[in-house]
């Protein structure tokens, strides 16, 4: 694993201007030093100094202006590879700095998706001047429920509107050059199937009718509550109407939430550097702390989980950049990036806490800077529950067949499971199976190819042309079994495949009934099982690209075997299951393959990072 080290960064895959900005950002934070960073955090200082730096270096303008609005500047583009890496760098130095960047990305989303060229030109000019942006979607009473909004536009009788209503949890709402505000037109029908009245418009946070109420969090970041009171909205301020506004809200979150996992990776990497160096230098009872078996086990698991986060995230970039109308696999993988990588980061933070104990609370440590944020990341840009519900829409097409739903289950039908037991969830598949005589005579479906590694300096324009948010169940996936098969010589990869077989048997032989399919508490656990398979898929893909050693890969899957077993145990204890389903769920449980020599080699690699980085004081 290549642990990020600001004193010896490796940005060789990126172009010269991107590397310059990365290096300048590192120099800014290292030049300010750790004492300054922690003081700013403790005193909740608004990040004027960082924003002054970003303005001078044209950071936001260079990275967040699509090529179509770049006015010929070859360095400006929306490039998810460098956006993700910059998110990791900012997360490394503090989630507040990541946050001001993250919510600017969200605020820009509806604007760059719009056909309103004057607003886009205005936005590009503001970025050049160093402005930040905000995404006015959430409301105190409705959260991020896009179906309901109390921000209402009424006609002013002169061809424009007056906006009234409040917004809540709006990052950068105190100082945004423009706020993309979601609302509805007065008198238009409301509800999930009534989208005609939705509207997105831009508002100026400096306007007198924009009433900033407070920062709703006790933090260096500013998460605003604001009201619009007869705020004048001209036709020229409107960027989306009707169903287009609804789609813009969802598609903006699809883009923005991807960066959450990268912020988590950065925060965990900094915490790792601190923790391993401290523990390896500390002597208790005549032994280094890292020589205690329980500490060694905690650090090893932390290292392995961090490696998995890195590998998955790196490969997920390629799916984001390869997205198209015909390839929307990225929607599954960025939901997992948001919820699973961030949860893994929180898990690693907890493991590290048990290694450094009271040291983690001392006022000269980065660790407390990330502690609250790591708890919050899984709950930003849609909770884990929301993102899992999205991921579940892909479960049938991904897990049972990568291409043709009418042929689903053919490749995974197991001896001893009669055709008739496949439930209504897979009706089309069951029909195909019954019609096959014999099965082997059916042609194998053709899977879409896995994308190449994508780090070339090009604009990811499709992310602002995603279109309607429908038909997710029809998205075709590559043959994930082939990816696993390339690595099934590793014991724990092989065991995960056995667990997936058992999961498919659970879903096929003891299918969920209609009531169970509406039980989100139950489905969330099924989703944890399913998404772990996809998580392992991209980890294996990236391991092959990066040349990751078998020791580390097998250790990652040792952890995944245990995670899947834990989810299966939780599933088996759900009261909604019948006895057959309970037995089937228990069939997913496996014990990992443990190898002391392999684990020792992985631990030695992890321990060797002790003392390799400490932030400048």
């Amino acid at each position: 694993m290549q642990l990020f080290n600001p004193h010896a960064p490796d940005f060789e895959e990126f172009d010269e201007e991107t590397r310059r900005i990365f290096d300048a950002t590192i120099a800014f934070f290292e030049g300010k030093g750790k004492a300054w960073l922690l003081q700013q955090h403790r005193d909740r200082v608004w990040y004027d100094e960082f924003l002054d730096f970003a303005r001078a270096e044209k950071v936001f303008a260079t990275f967040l202006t699509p090529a179509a609005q770049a006015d010929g500047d070859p360095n400006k583009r929306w490039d998810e590879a460098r956006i993700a890496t910059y998110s990791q760098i900012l997360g490394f130095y503090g989630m507040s700095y990541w946050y001001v960047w993250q919510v600017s990305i969200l605020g820009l989303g509806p604007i760059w998706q719009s056909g309103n060229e004057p607003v886009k030109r205005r936005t590009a000019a503001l970025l050049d001047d160093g402005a930040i942006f905000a995404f006015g979607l959430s409301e105190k009473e409705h959260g991020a429920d896009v179906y309901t909004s109390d921000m209402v536009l009424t006609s002013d009788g002169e061809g424009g509107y007056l906006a009234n209503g409040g917004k809540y949890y709006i990052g950068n709402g105190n100082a945004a050059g423009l706020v993309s505000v979601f609302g509805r037109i007065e008198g238009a029908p409301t509800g999930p199937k009534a989208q005609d009245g939705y509207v997105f418009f831009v508002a100026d946070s400096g306007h007198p009718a924009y009433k900033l109420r407070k920062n709703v969090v006790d933090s260096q970041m500013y998460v605003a509550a604001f009201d619009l009171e007869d705020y004048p909205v001209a036709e020229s301020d409107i960027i989306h109407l009707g169903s287009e506004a609804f789609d813009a809200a969802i598609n903006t979150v699809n883009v923005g939430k991807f960066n959450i996992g990268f912020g988590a990776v950065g925060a965990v990497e900094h915490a790792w550097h601190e923790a391993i160096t401290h523990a390896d230098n500390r002597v208790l009872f005549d032994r280094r702390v890292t020589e205690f078996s329980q500490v060694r086990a905690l650090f090893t698991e932390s290292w392995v989980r961090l490696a998995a986060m890195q590998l998955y995230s790196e490969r997920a970039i390629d799916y984001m950049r390869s997205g198209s109308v015909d390839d929307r696999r990225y929607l599954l993988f960025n939901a997992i990036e948001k919820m699973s990588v961030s949860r893994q980061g929180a898990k690693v933070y907890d493991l590290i806490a048990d290694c450094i104990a009271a040291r983690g609370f001392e006022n000269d440590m980065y660790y407390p800077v990330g502690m609250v944020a790591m708890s919050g990341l899984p709950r930003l840009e849609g909770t884990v529950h929301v993102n899992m519900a999205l991921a579940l829409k892909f479960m049938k097409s991904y897990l049972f067949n990568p291409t043709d739903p009418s042929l689903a289950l053919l490749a995974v039908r197991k001896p001893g499971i009669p055709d008739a037991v496949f439930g209504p969830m897979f009706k089309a598949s069951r029909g195909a199976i019954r019609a096959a005589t014999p099965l082997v005579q059916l042609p194998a479906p053709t899977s879409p190819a896995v994308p190449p590694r994508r780090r070339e300096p090009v604009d990811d324009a499709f992310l602002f042309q995603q279109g309607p948010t429908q038909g997710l169940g029809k998205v075709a996936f590559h043959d994930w079994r082939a990816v696993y098969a390339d690595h099934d010589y590793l014991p724990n990869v092989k065991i995960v495949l056995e667990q997936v077989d058992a999961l498919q048997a659970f879903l096929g032989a003891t299918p969920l009934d209609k009531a169970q399919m509406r039980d989100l508490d139950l489905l969330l656990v099924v989703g944890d099982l399913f998404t772990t398979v996809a998580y392992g898929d991209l980890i294996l893909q990236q391991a092959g690209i990066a040349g990751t050693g078998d020791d580390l890969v097998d250790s990652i899957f040792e952890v995944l075997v245990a995670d899947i077993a834990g989810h299966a145990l939780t599933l088996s204890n759900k009261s909604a299951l019948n006895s057959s389903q309970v037995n089937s769920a228990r069939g997913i449980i496996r014990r990992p393959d443990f190898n002391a020599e392999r684990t020792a080699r992985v631990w030695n690699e992890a321990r060797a990072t002790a003392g390799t980085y400490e932030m400048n004081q």
Side-chain angles (χ1 to χ4, degrees), residues 265 288 480 540:
V265 170
R288 292 183 183 272
W480 58 268
L540 290 174

Side-chain angles (χ1 to χ4, degrees), residues 115-137:
N116 188 325
E117 293 301 326
V119 168
K120 290 198 279 191
R121 287 194 296 271
R122 179 184 174 191
T123 300
L126 285 168
L127 279 167
D128 260 343
D129 291 339
I132 57 176
F133 295 81
F135 185 52
L137 179 67

Side-chain angles (χ1 to χ4, degrees), residues 61-117:
T62 302
F63 286 177
L64 302 183
T65 305
Q69 282 74 47
D71 196 25
D73 187 335
N75 292 314
K76 290 181 179 178
R77 64 183 182 276
W78 194 282
D79 175 338
E80 276 298 320
R82 65 181 186 177
I83 287 172
T85 301
Y86 201 68
S87 298
Q88 181 181 347
I89 292 170
L90 293 181
F92 187 93
Y93 286 109
M95 296 309 299
S96 289
Y97 301 98
W98 169 88
Y99 186 74
V100 70
W101 157 262
Q102 166 70 3
V103 291
S104 288
I105 289 170
L106 291 167
L108 290 165
I111 296 172
W112 296 145
Q113 291 177 66
S114 171
N116 188 325
E117 293 301 326

Side-chain angles (χ1 to χ4, degrees), residues 311 487 538-548 553:
L311 290 167
H487 297 82
L538 265 60
I539 288 169
L540 290 174
Q541 290 184 39
Q542 183 60 27
I545 293 169
T548 306
V553 174

